[in-house]
Amino acid sequence: MQTSERKKPNYLNAEHTVASWLLTVDHKRIAILYLVSITLMFFIGGLMAGAIRTELLTPAGDLMSSDTYDKAFTLHGIVMVFFFLIPSIPATLGNFLVPLMIGAKDLAFPRLNLLSWYVYIVGATIGIVATVTGGLDTGWTLYTPYSTAYATTNVVLPAIGIFITGFSSILTGLNFIVTIHKMRAPGLTWFRLPLFIWAHYATSIVMVLATPVIAITVLMVVLDRGFGLGIFDPKAGGDPVLFQHLFWFYSHPAVYIMILPAMGVISEVIPCFSKKRIFGYNFIAASSLSIAVIGFFVWGHHLFTTPQSMYAAMAFSIISFAVAVPSAVKTFNWAATMYKGSITFEAPMIYAFGFMGLFLVGGLTGLFLGALGLDLHVHDTYFVVAHFHYIMVGGAIMAYMAGLHFWWPKITGKMYPEGPAKAAALIIFVGFNLTFFPQFLAGYAGMPRRYHYYPPEFQIFNVLSTAGASILGFGYLLPLCYLLWSLRHGREAGPNPWGATGLEWMIDSPPPPHNFDTTPVVNWEPYDYPAAHRDAAKDAVPEAASV
Amino acid sequence: MSEIASRLQHHFADEEQQYDAATFGMWVFLVTEIMFFGGLLMTYVVYRTTFPQVFAEASHHLNIYLGTFNTIVLIGSSLTMAMAVHSARLNHRNALAGYLVLTMILGSVFLGVKSYEYAHKWHEGLFPGNFFYDGPDAVHQRLFFSVYFALTGLHAAHMIIGIGIMAVMLRMTLKNSFDENWYTPVELTGLYWHFVDLVWIFLFPLLYLIERHG
Ligand code: HEM
Ligand SMILES: [Cu+2]
C-alpha cells in the first residue's frame, strides 16, 4: 500500500470511487469495464454449452425437452456471438491498446467510448433477460419465416437486444477509425504502426459497414412480427430467403470482426517470443484489409442450399476460396517469422501456437464448405459446427487468451503465474480438440445440428465431445482463478517484462492516467527486435522512453 | 482566449486535430447511415424487380402533390441549414438562431404533411396493420406499402432526431456557446441534416414516381 502511494498514480489507483469507474472516460478503464462484462457473458454462454453437451451424451432426449434444448442452443449462440466474441478483443484489448500503441492520450471520442459500453450493457441485458425469461428458439440466425410468423417464443426482445448492441460495436469501430487516422504520434506513419493496429483498423471498417445492415434487418424482423409488415413472410408475398441474404451480408463479415483482431494479437505475440522482426510486414497489413474487403462478397456460401441462382452460387464459391488466400498469407508470414528466431515458450506464445494450429484446421474446413458440391452434403451438420468452433473458439478465443496473458502485466502491473498459465493453455488445447474434432466426423457421417436426440451410431462421437467439453470448461476456469490471484499476489511486472517493442511497453505498468507525459516522437521501425537476445531489448527501453 | 482554449479536450494536441477528428467522425457515421438505409433500399429493389407492375400500381396511391410539396420544403430546409452554418462561421448569433428556428419549422411542416399522408393511408386501408384494400393483387400491393412505411418511417425518425439536435444547438446559441473559432456542433448538425434531406431526394422518386410518365 505504502509503496503504491509513493509511486506516480496510475489509471487504476488514481481514483477509487464507484462513480470514477462508471463515469470514466479513460479508455483503459472502459476496457476493464468491458473485460468484466464480457467475461460474465462468456460464462453464461458457457453454462448453456455445458447443458447442450450434457444432453447430447445419450442418443435419447432425456435431460430436456426439444423446446428447452432449442432455447439452450439459441441462448448459447446469441450470447457467445453478439455479447461475447464480437466485442471481445476490440472492446477490451483494442480499447486499452489502440491509443497506447499509437502514442495518443485517449481515443478520439472518449465519451462516445463510454456510451458504447452503456449501449452494450443495455442491449446485452435486454437480450439475456428476454432469452432467459421467455426463451427464444430460433437459433442465433433468427431465420424467417419461422422467427417472424411461427415461433411462439420471445423474438422481439432479443432482436432489440441485438439491435442495440450493434450500435455499441458501430461506435467502437467509428472511434477506432477516427483515432487511427487522426491521433497518431508524430513520426508514426502508417507503415510504422503495429499490425495489431492494422488489424483493428480493418475490423473497424467491417464493423462500420456491416453492422448497420444487421441492425436494419433485425428491425425488419421486429416490424414484421410486431406490425405484420410481411416483408419476409411468403404468405404476404415476402421472401424469407431475402432475410438470409441480408443476415449473412452482415454475419459473414462479422466472422472477420471476430478473427481479424485475433490475427492482430498473434502478429504481436509471435515476433516478441521469437525475438525477430515480423516477416512480411506489408503483406500482413495488406492482408487484413483485403480480408475485410473480400469478406463482403462471400455471404452466399451460407445459402448454397437455398434457391439462389446457380451462377451466383458458383461466384460465391470462388470468392470464398479467394478470401482464404490472405489468411494463408498471414499464416505463412508468422511461420517465417519464427524461422531461425530464438523462440521461448511463455504462456502467450503457447496460446499463439494453439491459435495457429486450430485456425489452420478451421480455415481449411472452411474451404471444404465453400466447395459447392461438398457443402450440399455437410450443410447443417456437425461438420459446420466443428468448422466454426475451430475458428471462433480455437482461433479467436485462443488469441484472446494469448493477448490477455501478453498484456496482463501492462494492464494490471502484475505478472500472472507462468506455470499454471502454461498448464491451462495445454489443457484448453487438448480439451478443445477432443470436443470438436469428433464433431467433424459425426457431421461428415451425417449427424444434423440442432437436434437433442440422434441415432445411436453417433453416440461415440458425442461421448468424446462431451468429455472434451468438460476438460475445456475446466481449462477456462483456470485463467479466471490464477489471473484474479495474480492481482494480489503476482510479481511486479515493470514496464516491459517481455522485452517487447511498441510504445505501450515504454510507459509504466499499469499506465498513468493520461498514458504519456510527453507525446512520443517515433523515429524507428516497428518490430525492431534485436535478433540476438531479449535482455538487449530490455536495456534499450529506458533510453527509448526518454526520447 | 482562455475560454476557447478550454474547449480543447485534453487528449488532442491542438484545435485543428480536434476539429478534424470531429468532422471525420461525422462522415464515418454518415457512412453507417448509408448502410442502414441501404439494407432497406435493397429490400425495395428486390421487390420492385420481382413485382414491377404491382409497384407501379401501388405507387399511384401516393399523393404526388404532397410528395412534391414536401420535397421542396425539405430542400428549403437544407438551404436554411446551410445559412445557419454560414452565420455561425461569421459569428452572427441572431442570424444563426433565426436560421435554426426556420429549419426546425420547415422540418416540422414536412413531418406534418407526412402524418397527414399517413392518416389518409390508414383510412384508405393501405396501412400494414390496418390493411383492407381489395383492389387487384392486394397481397403484393401490401408489400409495397410495408416497404413504403418502413422507409419513410425510418426517414421521419431521423428527422425527429435532427429537430431535437437543432433544439440543443439553438439553446447553445442563445447561451453564447459558439463563436467564429468554434462552431463544430453546428457544422456537424448541418452535415446530418443534409444527409437526411438527401435520403428523401432518393425516396421521393423511388416511391412516388414509379411509371408516372406518359
Ligand atoms: C477461410 C475462410 C472461410 C471459409 C471459406 C468459410 C466457409 C464457410 C461456409 C461455406 C459455411 C457454411 C456452411 C454451411 O452452412 O453449409 C461456413 C459456416 C460458418 N463459418 Fe466459415 N468460413 C471461413 C472462415 C470463417 C471464420 C474466420 C469464421 C469465424 C470467425 C467462420 C465462422 C463460421 C460460422 C459461425 C458458420 C456457421 C454459421 C451458422 O450457420 O450458424 N468462418 N463457413
Ligand atoms: Cu461465411
Side-chain angles (χ1 to χ4, degrees), chain A residues 5-186:
Chain A
E5 269 163 13
R6 254 188 286 123
K7 277 199 235 152
K8 274 196 302 181
N10 61 53
Y11 80 100
L12 289 171
N13 67 14
E15 287 175 282
H16 287 286
T17 58
V18 174
S20 76
W21 279 94
L22 293 182
L23 298 177
T24 181
V25 288
D26 181 345
H27 66 102
K28 300 182 289 302
R29 285 193 162 205
I30 295 172
I32 303 285
L33 293 177
Y34 263 116
L35 181 66
V36 173
S37 1
I38 68 161
T39 305
L40 188 69
M41 290 299 158
F42 180 66
F43 283 98
I44 294 179
L47 220 58
M48 288 303 118
I52 295 169
R53 282 309 336 157
T54 316
E55 167 62 62
L56 292 177
L57 203 49
T58 58
D62 32 25
L63 182 66
M64 22 181 158
S65 65
S66 298
D67 287 344
T68 319
Y69 182 79
D70 292 350
K71 290 176 183 174
F73 73 68
T74 302
L75 179 57
H76 167 71
I78 288 186
V79 169
M80 287 302 201
V81 171
F82 293 111
F83 303 150
F84 170 69
L85 207 49
I86 287 184
S88 62
I89 298 180
T92 58
L93 298 175
N95 232 331
F96 196 93
L97 292 165
V98 165
L100 294 182
M101 284 184 169
I102 66 171
K105 292 204 172 84
D106 207 319
L107 289 174
F109 309 115
R111 272 179 296 173
L112 210 59
N113 196 18
L114 180 64
L115 179 68
S116 97
W117 181 71
Y118 276 103
V119 170
Y120 164 80
I121 288 294
V122 170
T125 310
I126 294 179
I128 296 268
V129 167
T131 28
V132 171
T133 53
L136 172 69
D137 66 348
T138 60
W140 77 281
T141 45
L142 299 171
Y143 271 15
T144 55
Y146 183 69
S147 62
T148 46
Y150 301 105
T152 52
T153 47
N154 202 346
V155 178
V156 170
L157 270 184
I160 291 176
I162 293 171
F163 179 84
I164 295 176
T165 30
F167 283 95
S168 99
S169 155
I170 290 174
L171 294 180
T172 304
L174 188 153
N175 223 337
F176 284 177
I177 290 180
V178 175
T179 306
I180 295 170
H181 268 276
K182 301 288 179 192
M183 313 279 289
R184 282 172 286 124

Side-chain angles (χ1 to χ4, degrees), chain B residues 23 46 80 124 158 178 201:
Chain B
T23 36
V46 167
T80 54
E124 282 181 301
H158 277 79
F178 304 122
I201 301 298

Side-chain angles (χ1 to χ4, degrees), chain A residues 105-111 163 167 170 174 177-178 181-183 208-209 212-213 215-216 219-220 223 227-232 235-239 242 246 249 514, chain B residues 9-12 17-18 20-26 28-29 31-33 35-40 42-43 46-47 51 128-129 139-140 142-143 146-147 149-150 154:
Chain A
K105 292 204 172 84
D106 207 319
L107 289 174
F109 309 115
R111 272 179 296 173
F163 179 84
F167 283 95
I170 290 174
L174 188 153
I177 290 180
V178 175
H181 268 276
K182 301 288 179 192
M183 313 279 289
V208 159
L209 291 180
V213 177
I216 193 72
L219 192 65
M220 283 192 263
L223 293 176
F227 302 95
L229 246 52
I231 291 178
F232 301 127
K235 275 213 284 247
D239 180 1
L242 177 62
L246 291 171
F249 181 84
H514 296 311
Chain B
Q9 292 172 276
H10 83 274
H11 59 294
F12 288 111
Q17 189 189 33
Q18 171 163 305
D20 280 355
T23 36
F24 186 52
M26 193 63 196
V28 176
F29 174 72
V31 170
T32 71
E33 287 277 22
M35 297 306 288
F36 194 59
F37 278 98
L40 210 46
M42 196 63 219
T43 308
V46 167
Y47 289 139
F51 311 111
V139 171
H140 294 132
R142 194 182 120 165
L143 205 54
S146 292
V147 177
F149 280 107
L154 198 64

